Amino acid sequence: MFYPLSAFIAYRYAKSNKASQTSFVSFINRFSVAGIALGLMALIIVVSVMNGLEGQLKQRILGIVPHIEITKTPIISESPSRTSSENEVTETPTQTAEKTQAVTLQEISETPIEGVVATMAYREAEAVVQSRSDLRGVQVHGVQPEVMIEHTLVASHMEQGRFSDLTEGSFAAIIGRSLAIKLEARVGDRLRVMVAGASVYTPFGRMPSQRLVTVVGVFDMGSQMDDKVLYMNLKDVNRLMRDPKGSEQSLRLFLNDAFNYQAVVSALTDRVGVSVNNMKTWRERQGPLFDAVKMEKNMMTLMLLLIIAVAAFNIVSALVMVVTEKQGDIAVLQTQGMLPSSVMWIFVLNGLFNGIKGAGIGLVLGVVITLQLNNILDLIGSPLALAADGRGLPIEMDVVQIAGITLLSLLLCVLASVYPARKAMKIAPSQALQNE
């Protein structure tokens, strides 16, 4: 099979045994290959675990927090195609009213938007919940049980009870396991919920709206929101807020990917005409947390990439010594007609072949160890139960991400080979042979 002479020579040298090379050069060469393999292996393991932890965080927290909430305040929509020059003509109030219309939440919920899997009438209020032993501030979420069962992860993480128990008029509540422990409350206990936002003035002063509710279920998402949320039927929350008709309730949007919220916000703004001021996204509450996790993952990736870069640039030392040692051989090849560019490609490809060996070993070890990481932790006696099911570290391997890391490692090896390759290309045959 025919392939270029430069590739043939580079391949022969890359696979040559230790006896055909200077022992020190061979040591540096093997050390650089091992460094690339270990760095890539560590990077694959760390990135896969960080992806898994980020996914668990996304599942646990964004499974509770509304992805997008549209408030009940008037949402004004004007035709985006109308320019300011067209509005310079004096219009009567009647004509202006015809051109400007209020978009209702019902119309928004019936408008198909890419990325939105479901909508639900929703209401949220700050409240204080009191048990026999403690008092805690919570967020009361007024929900529609049938929608929650179908489109939320909370419904599948119920330790006791179910969302269908939140029947209208029962004033039943579902709380998180952490909140239940702090309040020392169990299913069947009654809690007092007090909402300052719906207070009334009495002869004794301002009194908050309050109601006794019965705990009918306990969920456990394993997140920091478990002790801050109390679920009730939407109709019951409206009555608690002294708004039985629900005139102040909002619209909650469920997205197939919460991280893709910006595209949905743009669609609501451009197509439907919803004002940005009337939308709340999960980033307003939990954005800093996810930004911190993303920054940590990026810094870990950068640190391990620098380790790979250090190992890759060890190739420079090995190839520079090879160029110095093989000056006579390079001069002979040039006198026989080999072009300087072909000489350069010999050393570039030699560095690439070393990178392929290191990246190949690191890729295989990284994937195998990542897949067996929880078993290895159990074997050495230090298991970690961070997954939602409590069975170990959450691991999420991204094939595209791993392929990109591997290709980047190979690119670093090629870049490290450019300097010694250019040095070999500039060798003068007459001067090199004279020194032989």
Side-chain angles (χ1 to χ4, degrees):
M1 180 178 175
F2 173 78
Y3 51 96
L5 179 61
S6 301
F8 174 77
I9 298 174
Y11 177 71
R12 285 290 299 272
Y13 187 80
K15 74 169 188 176
S16 61
N17 56 22
K18 185 177 179 179
S20 64
Q21 304 179 32
T22 305
S23 59
F24 186 64
V25 174
S26 175
F27 170 76
I28 294 179
N29 208 27
R30 293 171 187 270
F31 184 79
S32 63
V33 170
I36 294 169
L38 291 175
L40 183 60
M41 177 191 72
L43 185 55
I44 291 173
I45 294 172
V46 169
V47 168
S48 298
V49 173
M50 291 296 290
N51 287 341
L53 291 173
E54 187 178 32
Q56 286 292 312
L57 200 62
K58 178 181 176 181
Q59 172 183 330
R60 294 178 180 184
I61 294 182
L62 300 188
I64 297 177
V65 176
H67 297 165
I68 296 178
E69 180 186 354
I70 302 176
T71 61
K72 182 61 179 177
T73 53
I75 304 166
I76 304 302
S77 171
E78 293 185 359
S79 176
S81 61
R82 191 178 302 279
T83 62
S84 58
S85 60
E86 294 176 337
N87 291 327
E88 292 177 356
V89 181
T90 304
E91 299 172 345
T92 64
T94 305
Q95 291 173 330
T96 304
E98 291 175 353
K99 293 177 182 179
T100 306
Q101 56 181 357
V103 180
T104 64
L105 297 181
Q106 181 65 28
E107 292 174 347
I108 297 174
S109 64
E110 294 173 354
T111 303
I113 299 173
E114 185 177 359
V116 179
V117 295
T119 59
M120 175 183 73
Y122 172 78
R123 188 159 194 169
E124 181 177 325
E126 299 288 336
V128 174
V129 59
Q130 181 184 22
S131 67
R132 294 180 179 178
S133 61
D134 204 351
L135 189 73
R136 294 281 172 176
V138 297
Q139 297 174 356
V140 178
H141 289 193
V143 298
Q144 295 176 330
E146 62 278 4
V147 181
M148 294 291 291
I149 292 173
E150 188 175 355
H151 296 287
T152 62
L153 291 172
V154 181
S156 59
H157 286 77
M158 296 293 297
E159 283 193 347
Q160 294 176 281
R162 53 188 184 274
F163 268 86
S164 57
D165 295 332
L166 297 180
T167 55
E168 180 182 350
S170 64
F171 283 91
I174 293 176
I175 60 177
R177 182 172 178 270
S178 299
L179 183 61
I181 293 173
K182 292 177 180 179
L183 295 176
E184 297 181 6
R186 293 176 292 181
V187 173
D189 289 352
R190 304 192 77 184
L191 305 174
R192 183 176 298 276
V193 177
M194 295 171 282
V195 183
S199 58
V200 293
Y201 290 95
T202 67
F204 301 98
R206 186 176 178 179
M207 298 293 292
S209 175
Q210 54 184 298
R211 188 80 185 220
L212 288 174
V213 300
T214 305
V215 178
V216 296
V218 176
F219 68 89
D220 184 12
M221 290 288 287
S223 76
Q224 63 182 21
M225 298 295 295
D226 284 11
D227 63 343
K228 298 178 176 63
V229 174
L230 181 146
Y231 289 105
M232 293 178 62
N233 188 285
L234 177 62
K235 301 292 185 181
D236 292 345
V237 173
N238 286 335
R239 292 191 183 96
L240 180 64
M241 297 296 294
R242 304 184 189 278
D243 180 25
K245 294 183 179 180
S247 59
E248 296 298 324
Q249 67 188 23
S250 55
L251 185 69
R252 177 172 176 175
L253 275 60
F254 298 90
L255 310 185
N256 56 3
D257 183 5
F259 285 177
N260 195 32
Y261 74 98
Q262 195 62 52
V264 178
V265 170
S266 299
L268 288 169
T269 305
D270 299 337
R271 290 177 47 198
V272 184
V274 181
S275 173
V276 177
N277 297 327
N278 295 326
M279 284 186 283
K280 299 178 183 178
T281 66
W282 61 266
R283 279 201 60 85
E284 297 178 14
R285 303 180 183 184
Q286 303 297 331
L289 174 63
F290 283 90
D291 288 341
V293 172
K294 185 177 180 179
M295 184 184 66
E296 183 180 1
K297 183 172 73 171
N298 291 340
M299 293 306 297
M300 289 291 292
T301 303
L302 178 61
M303 182 182 69
L304 293 173
L305 277 176
L306 290 176
I307 294 175
I308 296 176
V310 170
F313 279 93
N314 282 334
I315 296 174
V316 176
S317 303
L319 290 182
V320 165
M321 286 187 285
V322 170
V323 170
T324 304
E325 180 186 356
K326 300 293 184 181
Q327 284 190 16
D329 297 335
I330 294 170
V332 170
L333 289 174
Q334 288 180 329
T335 57
Q336 291 180 348
M338 177 172 281
L339 298 173
S341 59
S342 299
V343 174
M344 183 187 73
W345 277 109
I346 290 175
F347 292 94
V348 172
L349 292 174
N350 183 261
L352 176 61
F353 290 147
N354 286 333
I356 290 174
K357 285 193 293 185
I361 296 170
L363 178 62
V364 172
L365 289 177
V367 171
V368 171
I369 293 177
T370 301
L371 294 175
Q372 299 298 324
L373 186 58
N374 287 316
N375 294 331
I376 294 173
L377 291 174
D378 289 337
L379 187 64
I380 64 178
S382 65
L384 297 173
L386 298 178
D389 54 6
R391 295 181 182 177
L393 281 174
I395 295 172
E396 184 179 332
M397 297 181 67
D398 189 340
V399 176
V400 176
Q401 195 176 42
I402 292 175
I405 293 169
T406 305
L407 292 176
L408 183 57
S409 302
L410 294 176
L411 179 61
L412 289 174
C413 294
V414 172
L415 293 176
S417 306
V418 171
Y419 171 73
R422 288 182 62 84
K423 185 176 180 181
M425 180 182 69
K426 294 177 181 179
I427 291 177
S430 58
Q431 195 173 27
L433 292 175
Q434 187 178 7
N435 296 330
E436 287 292 326

